[in-house]
Amino acid sequence: MNRMPIEKYRSFQPVNLPDRQWPGRVIEKAPIWCSVDLRDGNQALIEPMDPARKRRMFEMLVRMGFKEIEVGFPSASQTDFDFVRELIEENLIPDDVTIQVLTQARDHLIERTFESIKGAKRVIVHLYNSTSTLQRRVVFGLDRQGIVDIAVEGAKLVKALIPSVPETEIIHQYSPESFTGTEMDFAVEVCEAVMDVWEPTPEKKVILNLPATVEMSTPNIYADQIEWFSRNIKNRDSVIVSLHPHNDRGTGVAAAELGFVAGADRIEGTLFGNGERTGNVDIVNIALNMFTQGVDPDLDISNIDELRETAEYCNQLPVHPRHPYAGDLVYTAFSGSHQDAIKKGMAAMKQSNSGVWEVPYLPIDPQDVGRNYEAIIRINSQSGKGGVAYILQSEYHLELPRGLQVEFTQRIQEDADNTGKEISPEHIWESFQDTYLSNKGPIEFVDHRSVPDAHASEQRVLTATLKVNGEEREITGHGNGPIAAYTNALKQEIGQEISVLNYYEHSTGSSSDATAVAYVEVETGDGRKIWGVGRHANIVKASLLAVTSAANQVNEATN
């Protein structure tokens, strides 16, 4: 095995915060959400959105309930500039939605940004410059003061240009880009220098956005950074602390959740985590995590498939089938033990009046996000009796006894092993019909009549009409009921001693068109146990069909 070159890397230094408070807190309400799908997400696409896709994404974000939407980087792209103008000139921005536009702290870019927003009712102007130690050294070649000067000069120009858009309410936002790679004291220093220019108040707050432009540490350290910053920034009551996590370490959601309980007020992210490199933080994921804890996410995610399909169309990128909450397979179990637990949990939910969702392996009710129960359980070679039973119950309303579940599942698993593929519900049903319900074996039940036994008042005499290998004949038997009498009559036809061990029945459908389903387990003279199933509007006929089904299974096993 080749040794990894670990000497090239250094561990991230933790924040000195021995009295941290965030570990004992829980999320009790949703943050202020800001979607950056149309800017940060869009700039990461192989083919950035055209105007039609941008507009479709914007409209969906509005329907979801986003009140702040970053719509572009108008000074960096003519397409973005034109889209901002389209939103404003065609009056597409609802009164309760604030658009956000991004600009670097460079004079001509700030000026172009203000040109783009003329006529808007309310706009967040998002100013940024990079502050990290690495970028100061290798990109800008500047010391701390040089970086502060860039931020301050940009902030001054933003303030100076406000009179050029007199009809527009401007909300200030500043990002010390690469915040996570910036010394904490310097992050506070540069943000306070910008605040000195903009002079926020509790009534007109400034947004200080703290990006994990590159995720560099474990989520607990990000939380420490946010708590340290929130404690040390001046005039905290005049500040909205905003998070902008990326996902380079695959822990963006955890970082956002911990950063939020550490004192942040706002989260910027994208739907399904689209963004540069490994993506931005996934707002759908965080919001539904809150939902599972009984916290209103303040976003409408009740039709997750529509959201996913629209995002895939706009981004031209697929959402992974295992993506939390949204993937095709996330409410699906193939494992036998999982399927059995889900089946029992769903049954318990039907009997419960608590109103609380409690089903093993399903953190939320799929119907709450617009999914149905059809694909909860799917069958492959890893599946067990619970999965097959669930399919037959949920799709075809059959309540198989446990012994029959075991017997029939062996057949299905043989099919799965032989093909190496998933077994569809349709295949399961066809196999069940062919095995138990077809009444097309060597013995076919046609009809019957039953009368009391003249010699024994507790006995019945049953005469059944059968087709045996296509030839019609009658058989007669005695017993304490139709099933016993018919079983006794069949013994001679199949040349086997059989006795009924277990019998179950239930009905399907409404009372006006109910169908009876009977399940019979028989034991042969040599100790084999075999099941049969029958369906008919008449329960006696359903029972006799079940015995016939079992007899055919005995014949098949013997031959």
Side-chain angles (χ1 to χ4, degrees):
M1 182 179 71
N2 292 332
R3 178 180 173 275
M4 297 293 288
I6 59 174
E7 65 277 356
K8 292 171 60 176
Y9 303 95
R10 297 289 182 270
S11 62
F12 196 89
Q13 292 302 303
V15 178
N16 182 23
L17 194 66
D19 60 340
R20 59 182 60 83
Q21 300 299 305
W22 63 262
R25 299 175 185 156
V26 296
I27 295 175
E28 296 178 336
K29 64 176 183 177
I32 302 167
W33 299 111
C34 178
S35 161
V36 295
D37 289 87
L38 288 163
R39 197 278 303 173
D40 206 350
N42 185 53
Q43 73 183 31
L45 298 177
I46 299 168
E47 295 183 12
M49 297 181 215
D50 58 24
R53 285 187 286 149
K54 278 177 170 283
R55 184 161 173 169
R56 183 166 171 182
M57 175 66 80
F58 179 80
E59 290 170 349
M60 182 178 73
L61 295 170
V62 169
R63 289 196 305 273
M64 289 180 68
F66 282 96
K67 302 306 179 186
E68 296 182 2
I69 303 172
E70 190 166 78
V71 293
F73 197 152
S75 62
S77 160
Q78 187 63 44
T79 302
D80 276 19
F81 185 96
D82 292 343
F83 180 64
V84 175
R85 294 309 311 155
E86 177 183 331
L87 292 176
I88 296 168
E89 291 170 5
E90 296 187 23
N91 197 30
L92 299 175
I93 307 167
D95 288 343
D96 62 345
V97 172
T98 303
I99 61 169
Q100 178 171 301
V101 288
L102 181 74
T103 178
Q104 287 178 308
R106 298 169 64 183
D107 289 2
H108 68 288
L109 299 181
I110 296 170
E111 290 165 356
R112 179 70 167 162
T113 299
F114 271 81
E115 290 176 22
S116 75
I117 63 174
K118 288 181 179 178
K121 179 180 179 181
R122 187 171 55 254
V123 179
I124 300 169
V125 175
H126 181 184
L127 179 75
Y128 79 95
N129 66 305
S130 188
T131 58
S132 72
T133 54
L134 180 62
Q135 293 220 33
R136 294 200 309 263
R137 176 167 55 84
V138 304
V139 178
F140 301 107
L142 294 172
D143 59 11
R144 285 188 176 194
Q145 188 57 51
I147 296 298
V148 170
D149 290 345
I150 291 173
V152 167
E153 291 306 309
K156 287 179 178 177
L157 183 55
V158 168
K159 186 175 183 178
L161 287 171
I162 290 177
S164 69
V165 287
E167 68 277 45
T168 304
E169 177 188 354
I170 298 297
I171 299 168
H172 295 301
Q173 177 169 325
Y174 173 69
S175 288
E177 195 208 3
S178 300
F179 163 79
T180 48
T182 302
E183 307 92 330
M184 288 294 95
D185 64 322
F186 182 53
V188 167
E189 178 185 340
V190 68
C191 286
E192 289 184 346
V194 170
M195 290 170 66
D196 288 342
V197 175
W198 285 341
E199 300 178 305
T201 66
E203 294 71 37
K204 188 173 177 57
K205 297 182 179 182
V206 65
I207 301 170
L208 297 180
N209 191 53
L210 307 178
T213 307
V214 177
E215 192 178 28
M216 304 171 71
S217 68
T218 51
N220 62 300
I221 292 180
Y222 186 58
D224 280 349
Q225 291 175 318
I226 300 304
E227 182 168 336
W228 193 97
F229 183 93
S230 296
R231 287 194 199 180
N232 288 277
I233 193 73
K234 69 179 182 181
N235 301 331
R236 180 64 179 88
D237 62 349
S238 300
V239 172
I240 294 171
V241 174
S242 175
L243 308 179
H244 185 107
H246 278 244
N247 197 43
D248 300 85
R249 292 172 55 91
T251 57
V253 167
E257 290 177 330
L258 297 188
F260 184 46
V261 298
D265 309 293
R266 180 178 187 266
I267 296 176
E268 294 188 346
T270 60
L271 304 182
F272 310 114
N274 179 46
E276 293 280 12
R277 303 177 307 280
T278 58
N280 286 45
V281 72
D282 180 347
I283 285 181
V284 172
N285 195 341
I286 303 174
L288 288 177
N289 283 354
M290 293 179 184
F291 180 66
T292 68
Q293 305 303 301
V295 176
D296 186 347
D298 286 344
L299 292 174
D300 182 358
I301 313 178
S302 60
N303 190 341
I304 203 165
D305 286 339
E306 179 189 12
L307 303 185
R308 186 189 67 182
E309 289 163 8
T310 301
E312 288 179 330
Y313 164 77
C314 293
N315 295 330
Q316 297 188 356
L317 290 173
V319 173
H320 195 281
R322 297 291 184 192
H323 189 286
Y325 302 110
D328 278 337
L329 298 177
V330 297
Y331 305 108
T332 300
F334 291 97
S335 160
S337 61
H338 290 201
Q339 292 174 343
D340 185 60
I342 290 171
K343 175 178 175 289
K344 291 173 180 174
M346 296 292 285
M349 282 295 298
K350 289 182 179 179
Q351 299 172 2
S352 172
N353 295 319
S354 72
V356 176
W357 178 257
E358 291 181 308
V359 175
Y361 302 109
L362 294 177
I364 65 172
D365 183 346
Q367 291 188 332
D368 291 337
V369 290
R371 293 281 182 88
N372 56 39
Y373 295 143
E374 289 180 6
I376 285 179
I377 288 177
R378 290 163 63 175
I379 307 301
N380 63 15
S381 61
Q382 305 301 306
S383 305
K385 65 182 186 303
V388 172
Y390 178 84
I391 294 293
L392 290 173
Q393 182 181 34
S394 62
E395 302 279 339
Y396 303 103
H397 313 295
L398 298 180
E399 300 171 11
L400 271 59
R402 186 180 185 280
L404 178 56
Q405 293 177 29
V406 173
E407 179 182 290
F408 179 59
T409 297
Q410 290 173 351
R411 293 177 180 266
I412 296 301
Q413 287 196 314
E414 287 175 6
D415 291 347
D417 286 332
N418 290 336
T419 63
K421 296 180 179 179
E422 180 185 355
I423 303 297
S424 69
E426 292 77 15
H427 177 91
I428 292 171
W429 177 235
E430 289 170 5
S431 179
F432 190 84
Q433 286 182 299
D434 290 343
T435 304
Y436 299 106
L437 293 174
S438 67
N439 195 29
K440 299 295 183 183
I443 304 170
E444 296 180 38
F445 177 83
V446 178
D447 205 350
H448 80 288
R449 60 185 182 277
S450 175
V451 296
D453 191 326
H455 304 290
S457 59
E458 73 279 4
Q459 296 282 300
R460 303 287 295 180
V461 178
L462 181 141
T463 301
T465 304
L466 307 177
K467 284 185 179 179
V468 181
N469 295 319
E471 180 183 337
E472 189 169 298
R473 67 179 70 175
E474 286 189 345
I475 61 173
T476 300
H478 299 252
N480 60 3
I483 294 176
Y486 183 53
T487 303
N488 290 330
L490 275 175
K491 291 176 184 178
Q492 291 183 345
E493 288 299 324
I494 64 174
Q496 284 273 347
E497 183 70 27
I498 60 171
S499 58
V500 174
L501 289 180
N502 289 296
Y503 172 82
Y504 303 88
E505 65 179 57
H506 67 82
S507 63
T508 64
S510 63
S511 57
S512 60
D513 61 351
T515 299
V517 184
Y519 307 93
V520 171
E521 183 183 28
V522 302
E523 183 174 28
T524 64
D526 56 4
R528 288 174 294 149
K529 296 175 182 178
I530 294 177
W531 284 86
V533 185
R535 292 198 310 170
H536 198 276
N538 180 286
I539 184 57
V540 174
K541 286 190 175 182
S543 303
L544 301 184
L545 283 166
V547 176
T548 309
S549 171
N552 280 320
Q553 303 300 311
V554 172
N555 257 340
E556 179 184 338
T558 302
N559 297 327

